[in-house]
Amino acid sequence: MYKKNFIVLFLFLISANIVFAQKDGYWDKTRATTEEITVSARGRIIIKTQDFPEGTTEVVYRITLLDKNQQLAGSLVSVLKAIPDPTGISQGAAGAVFILSKISADDKCKYAVFSSADLASKYKENGKTDDACLVQDTPVSKDAKRLSTEKSTCMQSTSENLWFGFESKNWIMNQKIILEVVPWVDNKLSRGWKLENRKAIIDQCKTSNLAQKMTNSDDFCVCILDKIQSKYKYKEFQKLLAVERAKAFKDFGTSCFGESSLSKSVYNDLRKQAAGLAKQGKQGEAIQKLTTIINDGKATALDYNSIGNSYLLTKQYGKAIKFLKEGEKLDGTELLIQLNLAHAYLLNDNYASAKAIYKKYQSQNVTDSLSWTQKVEQDIVTFKKVGIASNDFDRVLKLMSK
């Protein structure tokens, strides 16, 4: 019983592994090559395959030598219908045997595969295989192989075809050879989105306004790329007008920005950047970061307080009042806003309005451990350090001491 269960489990794991390893694509029978070739005694011949469709990542070919009047028992296309994934061919000896022809002649031939017409033509002239991407130098009566972009140099060129060169080893009689080549088309790559095309979209995305707001825009740009690939084939996307492509970027960008946690993280990053710049005394740059948050409608009361504080420190008191009042609308209980508003009125020569606020909150704390009076004193010291002077500073300090 234990042995039986072990065998069942073993078979299940094998089948599961095959399923999960399957590639997403199809054997393109309409672009398959099937050629019946007659090679003269001691002769050489070149056969060019059908054009491979866009997205071809591998091919399976079969070569069969036949005696006179023999016919193939079944085409390679029909055989491959039983193998939904090219990796199944390479999973063991059974796969290779399965695609071999059931019959073949006693004759044998050598063959080589070339990635360009020029290299194949040279072979036909001199029989040299130095430039071949695959050479079968031992004469065979039948053969079958899988060539993939991952492992074969034959499939790593930009050519849409392969050239098969055959050399007869029969010194007396002609040979009848059947060449079959079937391409495997990757569904995703068949849409034309090659590596360099995808990289161009990513690079363009990273120059967008949304991406430049992010510390790391990789996930955002990959999201846009996925949406573009899903909706358009590459050639379709290239045919769009510039304004249409720009709109597609904008629409997909908005969608990606809203679908994920990117929005929250972007604005948190901007806040951190603004705080760091403000600490370095780069108030102008801090204002730019905070303005982005405000213009995008994502500002909190504390964001308005931060930009108000930066405007104070750059002596832009009118703007400070404007933004602090906006923050007050969001949270009238935030005492940091009230305190900066009092400072802004004071520095803008409106002592009466400043005094009312200073006195109103004098008995409270601005944080859990910092009193209103202590914060007023700290802020006046800061103002003096950056060169902001007021004859009313002493009046405010006396007011706080009462």
Side-chain angles (χ1 to χ4, degrees):
M1 184 68 180
Y2 173 79
K3 184 176 181 181
K4 181 179 179 181
N5 289 339
F6 177 79
I7 293 173
V8 170
L9 177 62
F10 179 72
L11 292 175
F12 170 77
L13 291 173
I14 291 177
S15 62
N17 182 61
I18 293 173
V19 169
F20 290 127
Q22 282 188 344
K23 297 185 178 182
D24 184 17
Y26 60 94
W27 296 111
D28 192 336
K29 62 181 180 181
T30 61
R31 251 77 67 92
T33 299
T34 302
E35 293 281 348
E36 183 176 313
I37 313 150
T38 299
V39 185
S40 60
R42 295 177 292 177
R44 284 190 296 272
I45 193 170
I46 297 296
I47 299 297
K48 178 185 176 183
T49 65
Q50 297 278 355
D51 292 346
F52 298 145
E54 192 163 21
T56 297
T57 57
E58 40 207 308
V59 299
V60 168
Y61 69 85
R62 183 169 72 178
I63 296 166
T64 311
L65 277 72
L66 301 177
D67 286 330
K68 188 177 181 181
N69 299 324
Q70 269 190 312
Q71 299 294 323
L72 284 174
S75 69
L76 181 58
V77 168
S78 63
V79 171
L80 289 175
K81 286 181 180 178
I83 309 177
D85 177 353
T87 55
I89 297 169
S90 302
Q91 285 170 352
V97 171
F98 188 60
I99 64 172
L100 282 172
S101 175
K102 294 181 180 178
I103 58 175
S104 65
D106 293 330
D107 277 347
K108 295 183 178 181
C109 73
K110 293 181 178 181
Y111 71 89
V113 184
F114 300 88
S115 57
S116 75
D118 289 342
L119 297 178
S121 296
K122 291 178 183 178
Y123 163 80
K124 187 176 180 181
E125 293 173 6
N126 56 34
K128 293 182 179 180
T129 58
D130 296 346
D131 296 323
C133 56
L134 185 149
V135 177
Q136 179 57 49
D137 208 29
T138 302
V140 293
S141 60
K142 58 184 177 182
D143 202 4
K145 284 186 173 65
R146 168 195 171 210
L147 305 177
S148 71
T149 53
E150 297 171 354
K151 297 181 179 180
S152 173
T153 57
C154 294
M155 298 298 294
Q156 291 171 1
S157 70
T158 57
S159 173
E160 296 178 349
N161 308 87
L162 290 177
W163 287 259
F164 283 75
F166 295 94
E167 181 179 347
S168 170
K169 301 313 291 180
N170 190 322
W171 284 47
I172 301 173
M173 304 291 290
N174 292 346
Q175 289 183 329
K176 181 181 178 182
I177 301 174
I178 304 294
L179 170 66
E180 300 166 279
V181 184
V182 184
W184 170 269
V185 182
D186 181 286
N187 280 333
K188 193 171 184 179
L189 294 179
S190 69
R191 298 178 64 79
W193 290 102
K194 298 179 181 178
L195 178 63
E196 59 270 25
N197 300 335
R198 302 198 304 275
K199 187 176 183 300
I201 296 295
I202 294 291
D203 291 344
Q204 185 174 347
C205 166
K206 286 184 174 292
T207 65
S208 68
N209 290 332
L210 274 176
Q212 290 182 342
K213 294 175 184 177
M214 306 173 190
T215 303
N216 186 339
S217 60
D218 289 351
D219 289 346
F220 173 69
C221 290
V222 168
C223 176
I224 290 179
L225 173 62
D226 287 343
K227 289 184 181 296
I228 291 176
Q229 287 184 104
S230 297
K231 184 170 182 179
Y232 301 101
K233 290 185 176 180
Y234 177 70
K235 289 181 179 178
E236 293 173 345
F237 188 71
Q238 289 300 100
K239 289 179 181 178
L240 294 177
L241 297 173
V243 66
E244 292 175 319
R245 285 200 298 270
K247 185 178 186 303
F249 264 99
K250 181 180 178 182
D251 291 347
F252 290 138
T254 301
S255 176
C256 288
F257 199 63
E259 284 176 6
S260 65
S261 60
L262 283 173
S263 176
K264 184 177 180 180
S265 64
V266 163
Y267 294 115
N268 285 339
D269 283 343
L270 286 171
R271 290 182 182 103
K272 290 178 183 177
Q273 292 171 34
L277 290 166
K279 285 182 179 179
Q280 297 173 43
K282 299 177 181 179
Q283 304 299 336
E285 294 179 46
I287 288 171
Q288 290 178 2
K289 301 293 183 183
L290 293 165
T291 299
T292 297
I293 300 173
I294 292 169
N295 288 344
D296 288 354
K298 302 296 182 180
T300 65
L302 289 178
D303 292 328
Y304 281 105
N305 178 67
S306 296
I307 197 170
N309 188 67
S310 289
Y311 276 125
L312 280 175
L313 295 173
T314 53
K315 302 181 181 181
Q316 300 180 76
Y317 307 128
K319 289 183 178 180
I321 293 171
K322 172 188 172 182
F323 284 100
L324 290 167
K325 294 294 286 184
E326 290 298 318
E328 185 181 36
K329 292 177 185 177
L330 292 179
D331 187 355
T333 66
E334 178 53 66
L335 294 193
L336 289 173
I337 291 178
Q338 295 298 332
L339 183 57
N340 273 328
L341 194 55
H343 295 331
Y345 284 137
L346 180 72
L347 296 171
N348 204 41
D349 296 327
N350 187 349
Y351 179 78
S353 295
K355 178 181 177 181
I357 298 174
Y358 284 133
K359 290 299 293 183
K360 182 177 180 179
Y361 301 104
Q362 184 179 4
S363 63
Q364 298 190 38
N365 280 4
V366 292
T367 69
D368 60 346
S369 59
L370 184 64
S371 73
W372 175 274
T373 299
Q374 288 172 325
K375 179 62 174 164
V376 169
E377 293 170 349
Q378 289 179 5
D379 288 350
I380 289 177
V381 170
T382 300
F383 291 145
K384 290 179 178 179
K385 281 183 178 179
V386 298
I388 296 175
S390 171
N391 295 328
D392 292 321
F393 282 161
D394 290 338
R395 295 174 68 186
V396 171
L397 292 173
K398 288 180 181 179
L399 184 68
M400 294 296 96
S401 65
K402 292 180 182 179

